[in-house]
Amino acid sequence: MKPSIILYKALPDDLLARLETHFTVTQVANLKPETVQQHAEAFANAQGLLGSSQTVDSALLEKMPQLRATSTISVGYDNFDVDALNARKIALMHTPTVLTETVADTIMALVLSSARRVVDVAERVKAGEWTKSIGPDWFGIDVHHKTMGIVGMGRIGLALAQRAHCGFGMPILYHARRQHAEAEERFQARHCDLETVLQESDFVCVVLPLTEETQHLIGKAQFAMMKKSAIFINAGRGPVVDEAALIEALQNGEIHAAGLDVFEQEPLPADSPLLSLPNVVALPHIGSATHETRYNMAACAVDNLIDALNGKVEQNCVNPQVVR
Ligand SMILES: NC(=O)C1=CN([C@@H]2O[C@H](COP(=O)(O)OP(=O)(O)OC[C@H]3O[C@@H](n4cnc5c(N)ncnc54)[C@H](OP(=O)(O)O)[C@@H]3O)[C@@H](O)[C@H]2O)C=CC1
Ligand SMILES: O=CC(=O)O
């Protein structure tokens, strides 16, 4: 008999078919308690769980006594209670690498659009305000050859460093827990403490995972350290930044502008002050959102679940050490 799994995200037809050759699939809209209750038997029998962007906590795991593997269509896994998974020796699979280049492209898009005011001035053109040759009130600031500060020099940080250094001639400062030889050799990146990155960078790009250590790592004191001309980018996770402090820093002119793909609350509430600040580019968490990359992530997650339920956790497993 094929193992049963719960799928909580729509998949392209060919990937759903691949999943169904290996498993009996119950597809649900979400992992809310009422959904779990409605499909109680399927959850009780499921050995696998596949989807994205939903909380997987101990309350859910209690309803899934047979669960052996979870597979998220994302690289970030802060929405999972990893300790609870570890306690039950449940594998957690994720999709690093396949999205790295696309996310780095998104971050460069935020850098360029914040600095050159692409969104702001395009809206002015559409509003019919381009009636004569433009003046300094339409100007932006240069990106090329400015100092790029990267907080989190992992896979995405490295791909960002490549774009910034090789494409835009930017010197790179970075902060991570350890030194990264590849970034230093290929892009002459300089490993610094967080304070130095914040003080010396023209662009501060945060590409950190959300953990107990990184939650609100960037707050009032950190914005105060940045240059008044600095542009702040967050493409890691919203709660890494104290959003109230960011809003204050933008309103008080402590920093020049911000480009944001992630927020403390997503979707961003319609009354967020960020939406009325002209020096903010706010994106709806589109880091990896291209047709190609989202397909590749879903394919990777399907393969990951097939592998994990066959006892193969050498690749893309967050907790291989606990899996039997
Ligand atoms: N906006 C979006 O759509 C997307 C957002 N993301 C986010 O980006 C994150 C990073 O992805 P990826 O680059 O693949 O991950 P990696 O694991 O490759 O890199 C994470 C980096 O963060 C650093 N880091 C972690 N904790 C700390 C800390 N406490 N202090 C300093 N540095 C720290 C790591 O340091 P060290 O090297 O020293 O271990 C590492 O350099 C994801 O976890 C996710 O949250 C990812 C994809 C899309
Ligand atoms: O935010 C997206 C991810 O893959 O993580």
Side-chain angles (χ1 to χ4, degrees), residues 221-241:
Q222 288 68 36
F223 288 114
M225 287 176 200
M226 294 181 203
K227 297 181 183 181
K228 276 199 178 347
S229 57
I231 293 186
F232 177 76
I233 308 288
N234 185 13
R237 282 291 182 268
V240 171
V241 175

mmCIF file of all heavy atoms in Angstrom, residues 221-241:
data_model
loop_
_atom_site.group_PDB
_atom_site.id
_atom_site.type_symbol
_atom_site.label_atom_id
_atom_site.label_comp_id
_atom_site.label_asym_id
_atom_site.label_seq_id
_atom_site.Cartn_x
_atom_site.Cartn_y
_atom_site.Cartn_z
ATOM 1 N N ALA A 221 18.484 51.000 17.791
ATOM 2 C CA ALA A 221 19.927 51.277 17.958
ATOM 3 C C ALA A 221 20.678 51.024 16.645
ATOM 4 O O ALA A 221 21.612 51.769 16.297
ATOM 5 C CB ALA A 221 20.493 50.395 19.065
ATOM 6 N N GLN A 222 20.259 49.998 15.927
ATOM 7 C CA GLN A 222 20.953 49.658 14.666
ATOM 8 C C GLN A 222 20.645 50.697 13.581
ATOM 9 O O GLN A 222 21.542 51.082 12.823
ATOM 10 C CB GLN A 222 20.554 48.252 14.203
ATOM 11 C CG GLN A 222 21.142 47.125 15.047
ATOM 12 C CD GLN A 222 20.584 47.078 16.461
ATOM 13 O OE1 GLN A 222 19.404 47.357 16.689
ATOM 14 N NE2 GLN A 222 21.446 46.744 17.422
ATOM 15 N N PHE A 223 19.399 51.170 13.504
ATOM 16 C CA PHE A 223 19.098 52.216 12.502
ATOM 17 C C PHE A 223 19.876 53.493 12.821
ATOM 18 O O PHE A 223 20.333 54.192 11.916
ATOM 19 C CB PHE A 223 17.590 52.481 12.412
ATOM 20 C CG PHE A 223 16.850 51.352 11.747
ATOM 21 C CD1 PHE A 223 15.937 50.579 12.446
ATOM 22 C CD2 PHE A 223 17.109 51.041 10.418
ATOM 23 C CE1 PHE A 223 15.290 49.522 11.832
ATOM 24 C CE2 PHE A 223 16.457 49.973 9.791
ATOM 25 C CZ PHE A 223 15.549 49.212 10.510
ATOM 26 N N ALA A 224 20.036 53.748 14.118
ATOM 27 C CA ALA A 224 20.776 54.963 14.516
ATOM 28 C C ALA A 224 22.247 54.891 14.078
ATOM 29 O O ALA A 224 22.892 55.924 13.890
ATOM 30 C CB ALA A 224 20.676 55.148 16.023
ATOM 31 N N MET A 225 22.761 53.679 13.917
ATOM 32 C CA MET A 225 24.169 53.528 13.503
ATOM 33 C C MET A 225 24.367 53.744 11.998
ATOM 34 O O MET A 225 25.471 53.975 11.534
ATOM 35 C CB MET A 225 24.652 52.092 13.805
ATOM 36 C CG MET A 225 24.886 51.813 15.254
ATOM 37 S SD MET A 225 25.322 50.062 15.398
ATOM 38 C CE MET A 225 24.944 49.833 17.126
ATOM 39 N N MET A 226 23.295 53.611 11.224
ATOM 40 C CA MET A 226 23.435 53.675 9.757
ATOM 41 C C MET A 226 23.643 55.113 9.297
ATOM 42 O O MET A 226 23.257 56.067 9.979
ATOM 43 C CB MET A 226 22.178 53.098 9.088
ATOM 44 C CG MET A 226 21.992 51.616 9.349
ATOM 45 S SD MET A 226 20.510 50.992 8.502
ATOM 46 C CE MET A 226 20.173 49.537 9.489
ATOM 47 N N LYS A 227 24.207 55.241 8.097
ATOM 48 C CA LYS A 227 24.363 56.576 7.513
ATOM 49 C C LYS A 227 22.976 57.165 7.248
ATOM 50 O O LYS A 227 22.049 56.424 6.906
ATOM 51 C CB LYS A 227 25.072 56.463 6.159
ATOM 52 C CG LYS A 227 26.485 55.923 6.219
ATOM 53 C CD LYS A 227 27.066 55.894 4.795
ATOM 54 C CE LYS A 227 28.456 55.300 4.790
ATOM 55 N NZ LYS A 227 29.067 55.265 3.438
ATOM 56 N N LYS A 228 22.867 58.470 7.304
ATOM 57 C CA LYS A 228 21.583 59.120 6.968
ATOM 58 C C LYS A 228 21.216 58.863 5.503
ATOM 59 O O LYS A 228 20.054 58.867 5.120
ATOM 60 C CB LYS A 228 21.677 60.625 7.207
ATOM 61 C CG LYS A 228 21.425 61.022 8.663
ATOM 62 C CD LYS A 228 21.073 62.500 8.732
ATOM 63 C CE LYS A 228 20.743 63.026 10.102
ATOM 64 N NZ LYS A 228 20.494 62.097 11.173
ATOM 65 N N SER A 229 22.244 58.635 4.687
ATOM 66 C CA SER A 229 22.017 58.381 3.255
ATOM 67 C C SER A 229 21.808 56.890 2.959
ATOM 68 O O SER A 229 21.640 56.507 1.797
ATOM 69 C CB SER A 229 23.242 58.869 2.471
ATOM 70 O OG SER A 229 24.403 58.207 2.977
ATOM 71 N N ALA A 230 21.797 56.045 4.000
ATOM 72 C CA ALA A 230 21.743 54.589 3.760
ATOM 73 C C ALA A 230 20.378 54.153 3.249
ATOM 74 O O ALA A 230 19.341 54.707 3.621
ATOM 75 C CB ALA A 230 22.067 53.847 5.051
ATOM 76 N N ILE A 231 20.418 53.119 2.418
ATOM 77 C CA ILE A 231 19.184 52.463 1.985
ATOM 78 C C ILE A 231 19.173 51.073 2.616
ATOM 79 O O ILE A 231 20.152 50.331 2.533
ATOM 80 C CB ILE A 231 19.087 52.406 0.452
ATOM 81 C CG1 ILE A 231 18.930 53.836 -0.081
ATOM 82 C CG2 ILE A 231 17.919 51.513 0.018
ATOM 83 C CD1 ILE A 231 18.682 53.957 -1.560
ATOM 84 N N PHE A 232 18.055 50.765 3.282
ATOM 85 C CA PHE A 232 17.934 49.514 4.032
ATOM 86 C C PHE A 232 17.036 48.548 3.266
ATOM 87 O O PHE A 232 15.932 48.920 2.841
ATOM 88 C CB PHE A 232 17.341 49.806 5.416
ATOM 89 C CG PHE A 232 17.115 48.561 6.219
ATOM 90 C CD1 PHE A 232 18.178 47.903 6.808
ATOM 91 C CD2 PHE A 232 15.838 48.032 6.368
ATOM 92 C CE1 PHE A 232 17.992 46.740 7.531
ATOM 93 C CE2 PHE A 232 15.636 46.873 7.090
ATOM 94 C CZ PHE A 232 16.711 46.218 7.673
ATOM 95 N N ILE A 233 17.525 47.326 3.095
ATOM 96 C CA ILE A 233 16.764 46.307 2.360
ATOM 97 C C ILE A 233 16.563 45.101 3.276
ATOM 98 O O ILE A 233 17.522 44.621 3.896
ATOM 99 C CB ILE A 233 17.564 45.816 1.104
ATOM 100 C CG1 ILE A 233 18.026 46.983 0.226
ATOM 101 C CG2 ILE A 233 16.766 44.772 0.320
ATOM 102 C CD1 ILE A 233 16.965 47.694 -0.556
ATOM 103 N N ASN A 234 15.344 44.604 3.365
ATOM 104 C CA ASN A 234 15.123 43.341 4.092
ATOM 105 C C ASN A 234 14.438 42.350 3.167
ATOM 106 O O ASN A 234 13.319 42.576 2.707
ATOM 107 C CB ASN A 234 14.264 43.551 5.347
ATOM 108 C CG ASN A 234 14.148 42.261 6.168
ATOM 109 O OD1 ASN A 234 14.891 41.291 5.939
ATOM 110 N ND2 ASN A 234 13.240 42.257 7.124
ATOM 111 N N ALA A 235 15.158 41.232 2.903
ATOM 112 C CA ALA A 235 14.575 40.152 2.099
ATOM 113 C C ALA A 235 14.705 38.821 2.832
ATOM 114 O O ALA A 235 14.554 37.764 2.230
ATOM 115 C CB ALA A 235 15.256 40.083 0.736
ATOM 116 N N GLY A 236 15.021 38.895 4.150
ATOM 117 C CA GLY A 236 15.159 37.653 4.933
ATOM 118 C C GLY A 236 13.798 37.247 5.481
ATOM 119 O O GLY A 236 13.040 36.519 4.822
ATOM 120 N N ARG A 237 13.494 37.744 6.671
ATOM 121 C CA ARG A 237 12.178 37.551 7.264
ATOM 122 C C ARG A 237 11.801 38.832 7.995
ATOM 123 O O ARG A 237 12.659 39.487 8.612
ATOM 124 C CB ARG A 237 12.193 36.393 8.265
ATOM 125 C CG ARG A 237 12.147 35.003 7.636
ATOM 126 C CD ARG A 237 10.802 34.710 6.973
ATOM 127 N NE ARG A 237 10.726 33.365 6.418
ATOM 128 C CZ ARG A 237 11.035 33.049 5.160
ATOM 129 N NH1 ARG A 237 11.432 33.978 4.316
ATOM 130 N NH2 ARG A 237 10.904 31.812 4.722
ATOM 131 N N GLY A 238 10.513 39.171 7.983
ATOM 132 C CA GLY A 238 10.057 40.419 8.584
ATOM 133 C C GLY A 238 10.500 40.614 10.028
ATOM 134 O O GLY A 238 11.057 41.659 10.390
ATOM 135 N N PRO A 239 10.269 39.604 10.900
ATOM 136 C CA PRO A 239 10.563 39.816 12.323
ATOM 137 C C PRO A 239 12.051 39.950 12.671
ATOM 138 O O PRO A 239 12.386 40.190 13.827
ATOM 139 C CB PRO A 239 9.953 38.571 12.993
ATOM 140 C CG PRO A 239 8.929 38.074 12.027
ATOM 141 C CD PRO A 239 9.494 38.366 10.670
ATOM 142 N N VAL A 240 12.933 39.809 11.695
ATOM 143 C CA VAL A 240 14.352 40.090 11.959
ATOM 144 C C VAL A 240 14.509 41.592 12.246
ATOM 145 O O VAL A 240 15.443 42.031 12.907
ATOM 146 C CB VAL A 240 15.223 39.648 10.756
ATOM 147 C CG1 VAL A 240 16.659 40.122 10.901
ATOM 148 C CG2 VAL A 240 15.174 38.124 10.597
ATOM 149 N N VAL A 241 13.565 42.363 11.737
ATOM 150 C CA VAL A 241 13.617 43.822 11.881
ATOM 151 C C VAL A 241 12.471 44.276 12.790
ATOM 152 O O VAL A 241 11.338 43.804 12.657
ATOM 153 C CB VAL A 241 13.473 44.482 10.484
ATOM 154 C CG1 VAL A 241 13.405 45.990 10.595
ATOM 155 C CG2 VAL A 241 14.623 44.053 9.594
#
